[in-house]
């Protein structure tokens, strides 16, 4: 996933956030100044005889824990960037996994279609033999040939869908497809996640944790702005030389701006409003995630029950029906339509089984994306 375009940008954003943290650690640099008075004027001040020179050094002393609050805000920004990366990483991983199983589903569909085509070709041989013997009209042979060509067309369409799905999968790592098929299976029986485990995992969902980190960032930024509103103290000292009297003396100065009004009052208020909005979003997101999690759990159970019914009951009956109608067609007790209906019913049930298995995996992946927990990985 390192080649994924959506993830590559976060490395640069993380480096940029680290650079801001480094910048926040620096305090104001000291200043050096040279002041010359009473020279190049008129009268006694026309030359340098009465000049007065002052060499001074000064330093701004930050008050209100400005430096520490800047560092805290920059560190919180780093955490937000890491949370954004983790959130996006899970999104990309989930999307890649979904696309992988979409490719796998289409591969299974093509395999089932080829099996159905093989059954049709076997039926065509039987019908051809019976038509040659005069037992059935040639129209039955034509009907089966039409069915066969339709199935071949369906297989070609599935192959086109497979090529598209393969391209979408390889696009996740920014490459062209360099594979013909993927290796894997829909593993069953699949242990479905417990409702209590999923609801507990919602409290650690990446989307929720991302909001928590954003909340901490807003709080840190507000404190940094409040600290920045505190006036700083400027202290200086120097050496003054009077050329007229050839005397020297020390100079000490201290100054502080008068904060008649808070220069950051609007920005501080903005952070407080955004903080309240963030808290509201946290409540809404938790509620939405819990509701969606419950819906997915119910969907999983529905798909699981239906798949089990298809596998244990419907498919065996459909296979038995195909065998019976095939044998009856050879004996002349069953019509061609009965045979084709039985084969189509079997094919539809096989497709439904794969579709339900894919739907189960898709729902589990959606739960993993929401919670950041590897439920499929627990099957091993």
């Amino acid at each position: 996933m390192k080649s994924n375009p959506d993830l590559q940008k976060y490395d640069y954003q993380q480096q940029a956030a680290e650079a801001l943290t480094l910048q926040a650690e620096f305090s104001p640099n000291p200043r050096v100044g040279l002041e010359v008075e009473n020279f190049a004027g008129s009268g006694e001040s026309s030359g340098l005889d009465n000049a007065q020179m002052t060499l001074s050094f000064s330093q701004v002393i930050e008050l209100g824990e400005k430096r520490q609050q800047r560092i805290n805000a920059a560190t919180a920004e780093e955490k937000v960037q890491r949370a954004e990366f983790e959130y996006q990483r899970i999104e990309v991983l989930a999307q890649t996994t979904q696309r992988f199983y979409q490719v796998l589903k289409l591969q299974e569909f093509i395999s089932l279609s080829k099996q159905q085509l093989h059954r049709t070709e076997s039926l065509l041989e039987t019908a051809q033999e019976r038509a040659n013997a005069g037992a059935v009209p040639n129209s039955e042979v034509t009907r089966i040939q039409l069915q066969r060509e339709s199935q071949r067309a369906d297989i070609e369409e599935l192959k086109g869908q497979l090529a598209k799905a393969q391209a979408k999968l390889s696009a996740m790592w920014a490459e062209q497809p360099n594979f013909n098929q993927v290796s894997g299976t829909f593993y069953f029986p699949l242990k479905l996640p417990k409702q209590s485990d999923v609801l507990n995992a919602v409290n650690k969902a990446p989307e929720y944790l991302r909001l928590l980190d954003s909340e901490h960032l807003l709080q840190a930024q507000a404190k940094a702005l409040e600290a920045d509103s505190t006036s700083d103290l400027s202290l200086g000292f120097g050496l003054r030389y009077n050329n007229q009297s050839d005397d020297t003396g020390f100079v000490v100065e201290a100054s502080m701006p008068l904060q008649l009004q808070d220069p950051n009052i609007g920005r501080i208020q903005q952070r407080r409003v955004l903080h309240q909005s963030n808290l509201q979003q946290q409540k809404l997101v938790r509620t939405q995630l819990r509701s969606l999690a419950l819906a997915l759990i119910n969907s999983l159970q529905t798909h699981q029950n239906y798949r089990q019914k298809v596998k244990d009951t419907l498919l065996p009956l459909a296979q038995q029906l195909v065998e019976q109608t095939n044998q009856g067609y050879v004996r002349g007790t069953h019509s061609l339509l009965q045979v084709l209906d039985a084969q189509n019913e079997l094919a539809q049930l096989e497709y439904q089984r794969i579709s339900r298995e894919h739907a189960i995996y898709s729902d589990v992946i959606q739960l993993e994306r929401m919670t950041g927990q590897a439920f499929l990985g627990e099957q091993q």
Side-chain angles (χ1 to χ4, degrees):
M1 292 295 97
K2 290 183 179 180
S3 299
N4 183 270
D6 292 331
L7 295 182
Q8 285 186 337
K9 63 180 181 181
Y10 284 98
D11 183 46
Y12 296 102
Q13 292 178 354
Q14 185 65 36
Q15 292 180 40
E18 292 172 357
L20 290 179
T21 302
L22 177 64
Q23 180 66 36
E25 296 176 355
F26 289 101
S27 298
N29 288 318
R31 300 180 64 181
V32 60
L34 177 64
E35 182 179 344
V36 181
E37 301 178 77
N38 301 327
F39 77 103
S42 61
E44 294 182 355
S45 299
S46 61
L48 293 174
D49 292 341
N50 293 324
Q52 186 173 265
M53 293 173 287
T54 304
L55 178 65
S56 63
F57 296 88
S58 62
Q59 173 69 56
V60 174
I61 299 176
E62 294 182 306
L63 303 179
E65 298 185 339
K66 282 187 177 66
R67 178 176 178 273
Q68 186 58 52
Q69 296 302 337
R70 281 200 310 271
I71 294 174
N72 291 345
T75 303
E77 179 64 33
E78 277 194 66
K79 289 189 64 178
V80 166
Q81 290 298 328
R82 285 195 294 268
E84 287 290 337
F85 171 77
E86 182 63 17
Y87 175 81
Q88 190 63 35
R89 185 187 68 83
I90 292 174
E91 288 287 314
V92 168
L93 183 60
Q95 188 176 11
T96 303
T97 308
Q98 290 279 23
R99 293 184 180 186
F100 171 85
Y101 283 112
Q102 177 67 15
V103 171
L104 187 61
K105 182 186 77 170
L106 290 171
Q107 288 180 179
E108 293 287 341
F109 277 178
I110 292 175
S111 177
L112 292 176
S113 296
K114 289 180 177 179
Q115 294 176 21
Q116 175 70 349
L117 178 61
H118 177 72
R119 288 193 291 264
T120 301
E121 290 175 341
S122 298
L123 179 61
L124 179 59
E125 293 178 1
T126 303
Q128 189 68 60
E129 292 176 358
R130 299 196 67 206
N132 292 338
V136 296
N138 289 328
S139 59
E140 288 198 358
V141 175
T142 304
R143 176 69 182 84
I144 300 173
Q145 289 175 338
L146 177 61
Q147 179 89 346
R148 180 188 62 184
E149 295 307 314
S150 177
Q151 291 171 354
R152 286 176 175 174
D154 290 340
I155 291 175
E156 291 303 314
E157 182 180 5
L158 284 172
K159 287 181 178 179
Q161 294 177 12
L162 176 61
K164 180 180 178 180
Q166 289 172 339
K168 293 179 68 174
L169 175 60
S170 59
M172 296 303 297
W173 51 86
E175 291 184 3
Q176 297 292 326
N178 57 358
F179 56 91
N180 294 322
Q181 64 178 14
V182 298
S183 298
T185 184
F186 293 108
Y187 175 84
F188 283 91
L190 187 69
K191 181 182 177 183
L192 298 183
K194 297 179 180 178
Q195 177 175 313
S196 58
D197 293 338
V198 172
L199 294 180
N200 288 334
V202 166
N203 296 325
K204 298 180 181 179
E207 187 174 359
Y208 177 66
L209 295 179
R210 184 174 61 162
L211 286 173
L212 286 180
D213 286 327
S214 295
E215 176 196 354
H216 297 156
L217 173 61
L218 290 170
Q219 290 176 328
Q221 289 176 337
K223 290 181 179 179
L225 287 170
E226 291 172 356
D228 189 60
S229 299
T230 304
S231 298
D232 294 331
L233 176 63
S234 178
L235 294 178
F237 70 94
L239 186 66
R240 177 170 293 170
Y241 173 73
N242 191 316
N243 196 35
Q244 183 180 18
S245 61
D246 196 26
D247 292 332
T248 59
F250 286 103
V251 177
V252 177
E253 63 176 14
S255 64
M256 177 181 289
L258 293 177
Q259 298 283 43
L260 300 180
Q261 58 184 4
D262 190 343
N264 293 320
I265 185 171
R267 286 188 286 268
I268 293 173
Q269 183 63 26
Q270 179 199 38
R271 293 304 188 279
R272 289 173 178 169
V273 171
L274 292 175
H275 179 250
Q276 292 300 317
S277 174
N278 181 281
L279 294 178
Q280 185 66 23
Q281 285 295 313
Q282 289 181 31
K283 295 178 182 179
L284 292 175
V285 166
R286 286 188 65 182
T287 302
Q288 290 174 346
L289 289 176
R290 291 174 66 89
S291 298
L292 183 55
L294 290 174
L296 286 172
I297 291 173
N298 291 332
S299 175
L300 277 170
Q301 195 61 57
T302 300
H303 290 316
Q304 183 85 311
N305 292 340
Y306 189 85
R307 175 203 171 267
Q308 201 66 37
K309 184 70 173 179
V310 170
K311 178 178 178 295
D312 295 342
T313 305
L314 300 180
L315 272 177
L317 288 175
Q319 291 167 350
Q320 182 179 354
L321 180 61
V322 168
E323 293 176 1
Q324 291 173 347
T325 54
N326 281 337
Q327 293 172 0
Y329 182 69
V330 173
R331 294 193 303 266
T333 59
H334 287 73
S335 67
L336 176 62
L337 289 179
Q338 289 177 306
V339 177
L340 293 178
D341 285 343
Q343 290 188 355
N344 290 334
E345 183 70 22
L346 175 60
Q348 289 302 315
L349 287 172
E350 289 174 334
Y351 289 136
Q352 288 183 25
R353 176 181 61 83
I354 295 299
S355 295
R356 294 291 175 149
E357 291 176 353
H358 175 262
I360 291 171
Y361 270 68
S362 181
D363 284 349
V364 173
I365 294 168
Q366 180 72 352
L367 282 176
E368 292 183 337
R369 185 196 66 79
M370 287 172 44
T371 63
Q373 306 296 315
F375 296 116
L376 282 177
E378 296 177 353
Q379 309 301 320
Q380 305 299 327

